Amino acid sequence: MDQMSSDNINGLILAVSSSIFIGSSFIIKKKGLKKAGASGVRAGEGGHGYLYEPWWWAGMITMIVGEVANFAAYAFAPAILVTPLGALSIIFSAVLAHFILQEKLHIFGVLGCVLCVVGSTTIVLHAPHEQEIKSVKQVWKLAIEPGFLVYSAVILIVVLVLIFYYEPRYGKTHLIVYVGICSLMGSLTVMSVKAVAIAIKLTFSEMNQFKYFQTWIFIIVVTVCCILQINYLNKALDTFNTAVISPVYYVMFTTFTIIASMIMFKDWASQSGLKIATQLCGFVTILSGTFLLHKTKDMGNSASDRGASSTPRDNPVFTSPGSGRSSTSDKIAS
């Protein structure tokens, strides 16, 4: 195993810090939502009392700090290192919920956490070194190479088909439509975010990158893609069970982001087949842990509330149950 570069170490620290802040923010915000719901109309029923709750605002600030750290991580480390580590936020959220919100973590949930940690460690130890980039023009050159242009064109065509053909017909009944749109556009978002983060990093090093039109094009792409993602992710959260959306979205988003990074930045070009296979095994391990953690997230509470013999009701992964609407508690959790 090669020694990790200083940039990869910086990116790792920022990515882990981001997961801690984001994972904690869910618990802090939920605590604020509970306090607001106890004294007024709950958020899931249209109430906005949480806006007066300091706990909710503390959670929002914590989430913003986490997102800023995640943004900065892309300036130092390759996407194949940063993106999968997002699973760690699920662990911090689950552990804090166990101790603070009394949402019991089932033994299989603990196993899911362990799998996420093992998979993340495997990826970190075998992650490729970030190539040295001295100008945003260098990133632009990578973005307009035939391979990535073909990838971007395919993504845009598939997204347009999903939006104009499949979404009106199957959007309310098939989770894969909304999550597919978010995940596909998300891969382009991350590539553009990485370009903007690099531009900011170089600008702080007294090499102004905002004088180049390419930087502003990347900023426009980030803005458009983020708006599109937020719109369809909100539709997914309003229609389907949050516990199902989270792992499916994580798997698809991370997979397409790694593919996009592999094509654009050629992260694996300098690595041996053994290292690439090891990283893929680490990624699959994280996916397994994520699904296991989400699948058993309510089993601890179910055992204490209804007895150990009861089993949680299964939820379809790609279609909405019953009327196609999520419960009030699911909306609050989101």
Side-chain angles (χ1 to χ4, degrees):
M1 183 192 71
D2 296 334
Q3 186 177 2
M4 286 186 67
S5 66
S6 58
D7 276 353
N8 273 16
I9 292 174
N10 290 332
L12 170 63
I13 293 172
L14 287 167
V16 173
S17 300
S18 170
S19 294
I20 293 174
F21 281 112
I22 293 175
S24 302
S25 71
F26 293 139
I27 306 306
I28 298 172
K29 285 199 297 181
K30 188 165 183 177
K31 195 173 181 66
L33 289 170
K34 281 189 170 183
K35 290 188 69 175
S39 58
V41 181
R42 299 173 64 181
E45 298 172 353
H48 296 89
Y50 59 86
L51 294 175
Y52 300 97
E53 273 296 331
W55 277 103
W56 188 84
W57 283 107
M60 280 299 298
I61 293 171
T62 304
M63 175 171 279
I64 291 172
V65 172
E67 293 295 350
V68 170
N70 189 57
F71 179 89
Y74 283 108
F76 294 94
I80 193 172
L81 170 61
V82 177
T83 307
L85 291 180
L88 296 180
S89 65
I90 301 173
I91 296 177
F92 288 112
S93 179
V95 172
L96 288 176
H98 178 81
F99 290 105
I100 297 176
L101 300 178
Q102 306 305 315
E103 296 180 358
K104 301 303 179 182
L105 190 61
H106 193 270
I107 185 63
F108 288 119
V110 175
L111 178 59
C113 292
V114 172
L115 287 174
C116 287
V117 172
V118 171
S120 298
T121 303
T122 302
I123 289 178
V124 167
L125 293 178
H126 297 86
H129 290 181
E130 178 80 326
Q131 60 177 293
E132 185 179 1
I133 296 179
K134 298 180 179 179
S135 170
V136 75
K137 286 186 174 181
Q138 190 176 343
V139 182
W140 177 261
K141 186 177 179 180
L142 294 171
I144 60 175
E145 286 188 355
F148 190 72
L149 286 178
V150 171
Y151 173 82
S152 301
V154 171
I155 292 295
L156 292 175
I157 291 172
V158 173
V159 167
L160 289 174
V161 171
L162 287 173
I163 291 175
F164 292 107
Y165 181 81
Y166 287 98
E167 195 269 336
R169 294 170 174 80
Y170 307 109
K172 297 294 183 182
T173 57
H174 290 72
L175 170 67
I176 198 69
V177 176
Y178 290 144
V179 175
I181 294 171
C182 295
S183 302
L184 291 167
M185 294 305 296
S187 65
L188 299 182
T189 303
V190 170
M191 296 304 101
S192 299
V193 162
K194 186 170 180 63
V196 175
I198 290 172
I200 294 174
K201 173 188 172 185
L202 293 173
T203 299
F204 278 122
S205 300
E206 299 183 354
M207 292 182 285
N208 183 20
Q209 301 297 302
F210 289 88
K211 62 183 179 181
Y212 302 123
F213 75 90
Q214 290 93 336
T215 302
W216 296 102
I217 291 179
F218 283 127
I219 291 175
I220 292 172
V221 172
V222 169
T223 304
V224 173
C225 289
C226 282
I227 292 173
L228 194 66
Q229 282 180 260
I230 292 171
N231 178 47
Y232 284 98
L233 185 57
N234 283 336
K235 288 185 177 183
L237 290 171
D238 189 50
T239 306
F240 299 93
N241 191 319
T242 307
V244 179
I245 293 173
S246 297
V248 175
Y249 178 50
Y250 171 79
V251 170
M252 293 184 64
F253 169 73
T254 306
T255 300
F256 284 116
T257 297
I258 289 176
I259 293 173
S261 181
M262 181 181 65
I263 295 173
M264 180 171 171
F265 290 97
K266 302 173 179 62
D267 291 329
W268 287 339
S270 60
Q271 289 199 298
S272 65
L274 179 60
K275 283 194 173 184
I276 294 173
T278 303
Q279 291 171 50
L280 290 175
C281 288
F283 178 49
V284 172
T285 303
I286 293 177
L287 299 186
S288 302
T290 303
F291 267 102
L292 186 60
L293 184 58
H294 277 280
K295 188 65 176 176
T296 62
K297 69 189 292 289
D298 294 324
M299 287 178 68
N301 293 329
S302 297
S304 61
D305 294 342
R306 299 188 299 272
S309 61
S310 69
T311 56
R313 179 170 58 92
D314 289 338
N315 291 307
V317 173
F318 297 112
T319 60
S320 60
S323 62
R325 306 295 296 179
S326 61
S327 65
T328 300
S329 60
D330 290 331
K331 294 179 184 178
I332 294 174
S334 66

